[in-house]
Amino acid sequence: MRKHAVVIAGGGPTGLMLAGELALAGVDVAIIERRPNQELIGWRAGGLHARTIEILDQRGIADRFLSQGQIAQVASFASVRLDISDFPTRHNYGLGLRQKHIERILADWLCELDVPIQYGIEVIGFSQHDDGVDVQLSDGTTLQASYLVGCDGGRSLIRKAADIDFPGWDATVSNLIAEVDMAEEPELGIRHDTLGMHSLGRFEYEIRDSKIIYANEGPIGVMVTERQLRTSGEPTLDDLRNALIAVYGTDYGAHNLRWISRFTDAARQAAAYRKGRILLAGDAAHVHPPDGGQGLNIGVQDAVNLGWKLAQVIKGISPDHLLDSYHAERHPIAARVLRNTMASVALRRPDDRTKVLRDTVAELLEMEEPRKRYAGMMSGLDICYDFGEGHPLLGRRMPDLDLLTAHGPQRLFTLLHGAKPVLLNLGEPRGFHVAPWKDRIQLIDARYASPWDLPVIGAVDAPSAVLIRPDGYVAWVGGVAQTGLIEALTTWFGPAAAS
């Protein structure tokens, strides 16, 4: 029986990112992916939000994505664009990049980290016991793991087999999404009408002055709202033609269907992200409408929150209950996404009264405070985990400061490339004595003279020292007295090592 510390079911962006996080921590991890290869059918997600780009920058791989995508202002709510170009971050923008490219870049990174990905095999069941999880595969073999993580999508077998409830809201509208050839040149772009929102465009495009400029030839990507709600059955070319005629008065001679699928506005969330040695991340833990393009992004962020915690538990650094903080922190984030996507769908309804409401919301979002608040939410830059009362930085993302260290100028994010926590001392050098944790954290003495400015909340007082988790969130803020530091170190990075 082959053994791994962690088996991940699902090789999408969430599973790939989680495997990378575990590999950086020196944990033996393997991915099981049911697709026959890395090829991805369909368009899926279309880009990255600012916080996700920051996370990739924290690992030193953001440039790989930026070099292949198109920088643009992608944050939006209820189809209202939200400009974040004035936000205090190195990445005050989003990135247009198809999911298949995102997965390819992540898979290349995992290859460098020697993470095995088994394609063409599916997890068909498991049994967990005190010492681990026995994972049954579709090829008749069994893997043994300390933990099994379901990153296997909205219909997650792992979630169902673990008997984790998936409460939420049923669908009220359905949409077809497809790629097809058309004999006639279609009306490219987005359309709103009495049925809902629709879109026609080509896979290849450029963004110029915040406008999408499509290629002059090639297959057409279609997203069309159906006249009647349908939640079952495989959609067909005839279904697509009928839906196009209902909206555009023609099917544009649609033929040569490359792929087609259906999605709805159903919104559901796992009641628990953990059940013993079984964990859920990404779409396996939460599904919602694609409004705002948040799904892939919060899945990747789930992975980065979970990865270092799981690694520490496996390596015996932290007690098992550290994993409970994964649900405590990430469940509220996804719950908020479910709420804002449902609100967005409601504001897209085609009746006159809703249109008036949508126009009113759009007018409000032109104001400075609402614009910043919603832009921070949609971009992920406003996330704040509840670590109790304290400095405004506590629980928030650490800014990528330009530090002056003993080794010269250094960006803060470079200190996180290895996914190792940082105790950043901005006061007197050598003022901290944390020997029991010296092998677990980086103690960095540095200077930073510029103002401290955070997205949404603005300027904050400069701290003397901060403890930064591997996921880039601030776990402690203090000064010379170091009040609460030992408790924070113990909470997040395990009890003191024996002297």
Side-chain angles (χ1 to χ4, degrees):
M1 186 182 294
R2 289 174 293 162
K3 296 183 179 180
H4 297 282
V6 180
V7 169
I8 298 172
T14 301
L16 294 169
M17 192 72 203
L18 177 58
E21 292 293 291
L22 291 166
L24 286 174
V27 171
D28 175 28
V29 57
I31 295 176
I32 306 299
E33 169 54 50
R34 64 186 175 189
R35 286 178 292 174
N37 51 51
Q38 194 185 309
E39 290 300 313
L40 183 66
I41 298 174
W43 290 18
R44 309 290 178 89
L48 301 173
H49 279 298
R51 180 54 190 157
T52 307
I53 300 172
E54 284 192 338
I55 284 172
L56 298 170
D57 200 354
Q58 289 172 185
R59 297 299 179 257
I61 58 174
D63 287 347
R64 306 183 187 195
F65 298 85
L66 294 171
S67 65
Q68 298 191 37
Q70 300 193 55
I71 290 173
Q73 293 298 326
V74 302
S76 66
F77 176 73
S79 300
V80 178
R81 291 290 178 185
L82 302 168
D83 192 338
I84 65 168
S85 59
D86 61 342
F87 274 29
T89 167
R90 209 174 296 268
H91 302 291
N92 52 3
Y93 48 76
L95 186 72
L97 186 64
R98 300 290 187 192
Q99 182 170 329
K100 73 172 187 178
H101 299 307
I102 294 170
E103 291 191 11
R104 172 178 49 79
I105 296 169
L106 286 172
D108 288 347
W109 179 49
L110 292 193
C111 184
E112 298 169 14
L113 297 173
D114 295 324
V115 175
I117 305 175
Q118 293 183 255
Y119 289 104
I121 302 176
E122 189 172 357
V123 175
I124 60 172
F126 61 84
S127 58
Q128 65 169 314
H129 43 82
D130 290 344
D131 297 325
V133 186
D134 296 330
V135 184
Q136 290 85 46
L137 304 182
S138 56
D139 65 354
T141 63
T142 300
L143 295 178
Q144 192 175 70
S146 296
Y147 291 88
L148 171 64
V149 186
C151 300
D152 52 339
R155 297 183 177 90
S156 173
L157 179 144
I158 307 302
R159 186 190 66 241
K160 294 173 182 176
D163 197 25
I164 296 174
D165 289 341
F166 202 44
W169 294 264
D170 292 334
T172 64
V173 65
S174 59
N175 300 78
L176 295 177
I177 184 169
E179 187 174 7
V180 66
D181 288 330
M182 290 183 170
E184 306 168 26
E185 183 64 21
E187 175 190 325
L188 300 182
I190 296 173
R191 170 186 282 201
H192 295 269
D193 63 16
T194 56
L195 286 180
M197 186 173 73
H198 324 279
S199 176
L200 301 176
R202 290 190 171 90
F203 188 86
E204 300 297 334
Y205 68 93
E206 294 182 11
I207 298 177
R208 303 175 193 164
D209 298 326
S210 299
K211 294 182 179 180
I212 296 177
I213 308 298
Y214 293 104
N216 292 323
E217 57 185 11
I220 302 297
V222 179
M223 193 282 287
V224 60
T225 303
E226 294 185 280
R227 183 180 292 276
Q228 293 181 325
L229 170 66
R230 296 182 63 182
T231 59
S232 62
E234 292 297 321
T236 66
L237 178 58
D238 282 342
D239 291 332
L240 181 66
R241 286 171 172 160
N242 291 334
L244 285 168
I245 291 170
V247 173
Y248 295 94
T250 175
D251 63 8
Y252 296 107
H255 65 284
N256 191 23
L257 182 67
R258 286 165 165 77
W259 56 265
I260 187 171
S261 64
R262 175 180 284 118
F263 69 89
T264 74
D265 65 337
R268 297 188 176 277
Q269 185 175 21
Y273 282 17
R274 179 195 184 196
K275 192 168 186 179
R277 294 178 175 272
I278 310 302
L279 296 122
L280 304 175
D283 289 352
H286 39 74
V287 296
H288 50 81
D291 291 54
Q294 300 168 89
L296 181 152
N297 289 270
I298 66 168
V300 169
Q301 292 169 37
D302 285 346
V304 176
N305 183 285
L306 174 61
W308 65 274
K309 298 173 182 176
L310 189 53
Q312 287 186 178
V313 171
I314 288 170
K315 296 166 78 172
I317 294 171
S318 294
D320 177 81
H321 63 71
L322 177 64
L323 294 177
D324 294 335
S325 70
Y326 168 58
H327 172 96
E329 293 174 7
R330 294 304 299 172
H331 192 277
I333 301 302
R336 184 174 70 163
V337 170
L338 263 64
R339 290 194 299 271
N340 74 48
T341 54
M342 287 192 295
S344 180
V345 169
L347 288 167
R348 284 200 278 105
R349 288 174 182 153
D351 62 275
D352 289 340
R353 292 179 184 274
T354 302
K355 183 179 183 301
V356 172
L357 176 60
R358 184 168 60 247
D359 291 345
T360 301
V361 170
E363 184 177 339
L364 289 171
L365 290 176
E366 291 177 357
M367 301 177 184
E368 191 74 350
E369 178 64 21
R371 191 265 305 180
K372 286 185 175 181
R373 184 175 296 272
Y374 274 77
M377 175 175 66
M378 303 306 291
S379 65
L381 291 171
D382 74 336
I383 291 172
C384 183
Y385 299 132
D386 185 6
F387 297 162
E389 297 295 324
H391 192 280
L393 265 174
L394 189 63
R396 296 185 184 274
R397 53 174 277 289
M398 181 66 184
D400 185 21
L401 308 179
D402 290 310
L403 301 171
L404 182 61
T405 72
H407 303 288
Q410 191 168 13
R411 284 176 53 202
L412 185 134
F413 280 6
T414 64
L415 301 174
L416 296 171
H417 284 183
K420 191 172 181 179
V422 175
L423 177 55
L424 179 65
N425 174 30
L426 299 168
E428 290 299 318
R430 296 177 294 280
F432 286 82
H433 304 286
V434 290
W437 290 272
K438 66 180 181 180
D439 295 330
R440 306 176 209 170
I441 67 170
Q442 306 170 78
L443 177 56
I444 304 294
D445 292 327
R447 291 282 185 269
Y448 179 72
S450 300
W452 287 71
D453 199 12
L454 302 180
V456 183
I457 65 175
V460 299
D461 293 335
S464 298
V466 291
L467 179 63
I468 309 161
R469 305 191 317 184
D471 57 359
Y473 287 85
V474 176
W476 173 84
V477 183
V480 177
Q482 303 179 32
T483 304
L485 176 59
I486 299 303
E487 290 82 354
L489 287 167
T490 303
T491 296
W492 300 113
F493 310 117
S499 57

